[in-house]
Each structure stands twice: as structure tokens, then as C-alpha cells.
């Protein structure tokens, strides 16, 4: 598989996935994983999530912005891991961009709730896995 | 939810899951995630996987054994993250213990194939996630 083919398959998987796994590194140097709803992907370069500002991943990411995002299709035994960094955003444009109907359930004060944060993951490189093969690509 | 209830739910999820996400930290300090087939769990304390000795996670884990294992049930929006370390095992008992029918496909030389390794993850603590709540437990 060429790197371009790997990229194309990876982009299709990321785009059709509603859920991603976000990996971070905690204060003791251990990796942490949690499933998150993908709000938006701009190609494979930028992926946005929302989270409670009070959640544990916020101090982890402030301390260490190194992260990965993993999309997987277990039926096809296909995955992508993207390596990059996360910015924590609370500006008005970012808040409005990722706000969805029903979010008041999580952020009762609405779009300017201080407990509402946007995570913007920016990828630097990626790996596409399929049927035990790994193909690298740069971003 | 008490810690005992969280532990019980977490144990049930780990036991019924065939797939887990293994988190490691690469040489550049970035978290890495990949889906793996769970071979065995002894409670939540020990979880075994198999892998090709030539895979990228082996040098990562030799360099930094800190790891996490994440099980998720997306239909129930329920997850467990276990924090611990990984030992890379190649002794005969470990090889036989995790060997399954059909593994010749991955390890053509059989149970003593040098490209066959067992990963034994040992958990120190865990977090159970359900409906936006997090409950910690020690192991």
C-alpha cells in the first residue's frame, strides 16, 4: 500500500467515525485513554472534541500537551493512530463552532459556561493499521 | 456508586470484552494506542496479550513499561481504564498459556517462534466511567 492509499483509507475512517480514543500522559508519566465524541475533523490534521473544564484531562493536557487520537473499525480490523498535541480553547468562536443541541445537559450555563472547553488536536503524523500491516504518513 | 460497585461493574466489563486498547508512551513521550485481542484477564489485576516481538510496541515497552489498558462499551457509554506496567514474557509457560489455535498464521515457527511474545499487564489502580461519572479504585 502506498502512503497516499494509507492516507485515503485513514481519512475515510476518521470521517465516518463518531467516536475516537484520546490518549494523554498523566503526571506520573502513564498513558491515559478515554473514548470521546468527535465533534469535527478537518482532514486528519485537526480534530475537535469538547469536555468539561473540570475533567481530569484538562490539567494533564496543560502539563503535557502531547497526545494521540485513535480511530478503529473493529469489524474491518482497521485503525489509525494520529500523533500530535492538544490546545485547550475557550474563545467564543471555538465554543460556538463545537456547540451542539442538547449541550445544556453538560454545560448548564450555555455556550459561555466556564466548565465548557474545546480540545483542538493537531496531528503531526499518522499510522494506518490494516490486517497486521502498518503504513506511516506525515501530516 | 461505592468503590466496590465500581470495581464489580469494571470487572464484568473487562471479563466480557474480547478487545482492549493498550496505551504506551513512545520514545518522544507521546501516548500511543492500539486495539488488541485480550487473551486472558485474572480479575482486573493481570491482563495478557500476545504480539509480534518485531512490533513497535516492544521497544517502546522495553524503554518505558508504563501502560494503561482501556475497555469500553460504547452502547452503554461505560469504560474502565487500568493503570500499570507491562512485562514482556518469552518463557515457555507464558507462551503455551496464551497460544491459541490458528496462531501459526502470525507465528509460523509455532509456540517457540522468536517473533512471538506475551505482554503481561499488571494494574495498580483503575477508573470506572459511566454516564459522565468517574469512580476510582485501587488494585
Amino acid at each position: 500500500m502506498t502512503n497516499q492509499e494509507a492516507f485515503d483509507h485513514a481519512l475515510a475512517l476518521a470521517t465516518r467515525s463518531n467516536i475516537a480514543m484520546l490518549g494523554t500522559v498523566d503526571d506520573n508519566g502513564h498513558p491515559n485513554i478515554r473514548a470521546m465524541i468527535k465533534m469535527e475533523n478537518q482532514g486528519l490534521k485537526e480534530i475537535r472534541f469538547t469536555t468539561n473544564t473540570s475533567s481530569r484531562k484538562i490539567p494533564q493536557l496543560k502539563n503535557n500537551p502531547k497526545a494521540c487520537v485513535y480511530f478503529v473499525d473493529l469489524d474491518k480490523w482497521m485503525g489509525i493512530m494520529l500523533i500530535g498535541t492538544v490546545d485547550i480553547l475557550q474563545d467564543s468562536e471555538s465554543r460556538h463552532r463545537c456547540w451542539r443541541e442538547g449541550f445544556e445537559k453538560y454545560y448548564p450555563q450555555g455556550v459561555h459556561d466556564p466548565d465548557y472547553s474545546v480540545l483542538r488536536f493537531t496531528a503531526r503524523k499518522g499510522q494506518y493499521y490494516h490486517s497486521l500491516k502498518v503504513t506511516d504518513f506525515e501530516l
Side-chain angles (χ1 to χ4, degrees), chain A:
Chain A
M1 182 177 293
T2 66
N3 286 26
Q4 183 61 45
E5 284 169 337
F7 178 87
D8 291 346
H9 285 291
L11 178 59
L13 174 56
T15 302
R16 73 174 181 267
S17 297
N18 296 316
I19 302 287
M21 308 291 156
L22 175 67
T24 55
V25 179
D26 70 20
D27 291 353
N28 296 313
H30 279 90
N32 279 209
I33 301 173
R34 75 287 287 157
M36 296 189 72
I37 298 170
K38 180 199 76 177
M39 288 299 146
E40 181 189 327
N41 64 296
Q42 289 194 291
L44 293 175
K45 190 66 190 168
E46 282 191 9
I47 298 166
R48 283 176 170 75
F49 305 97
T50 63
T51 190
N52 291 91
T53 312
S54 56
S55 72
R56 298 178 193 201
K57 67 185 86 58
I58 294 286
Q60 280 181 14
L61 286 165
K62 279 188 177 159
N63 185 50
N64 184 351
K66 291 180 179 178
C68 73
V69 170
Y70 181 69
F71 294 98
V72 65
D73 182 336
L74 293 171
D75 293 330
K76 297 186 178 166
W77 206 241
M78 178 191 284
I80 330 164
M81 185 177 65
L82 302 169
I83 294 286
T85 50
V86 168
D87 293 298
I88 302 162
L89 305 176
Q90 294 181 316
D91 62 286
S92 188
E93 190 273 334
S94 299
R95 288 169 175 274
H96 280 284
R97 179 171 177 158
C98 290
W99 187 264
R100 300 289 182 273
E101 202 181 318
F103 265 24
E104 290 83 2
K105 181 179 165 190
Y106 312 111
Y107 314 113
Q109 294 180 48
V111 73
H112 292 289
D113 193 321
D115 199 32
Y116 169 46
S117 289
V118 171
L119 303 182
R120 182 183 60 201
F121 171 80
T122 305
R124 191 163 51 75
K125 60 180 183 173
Q127 294 175 1
Y128 173 68
Y129 303 83
H130 191 207
S131 304
L132 302 177
K133 291 208 183 75
V134 185
T135 311
D136 294 291
F137 51 86
E138 298 294 316
L139 289 166

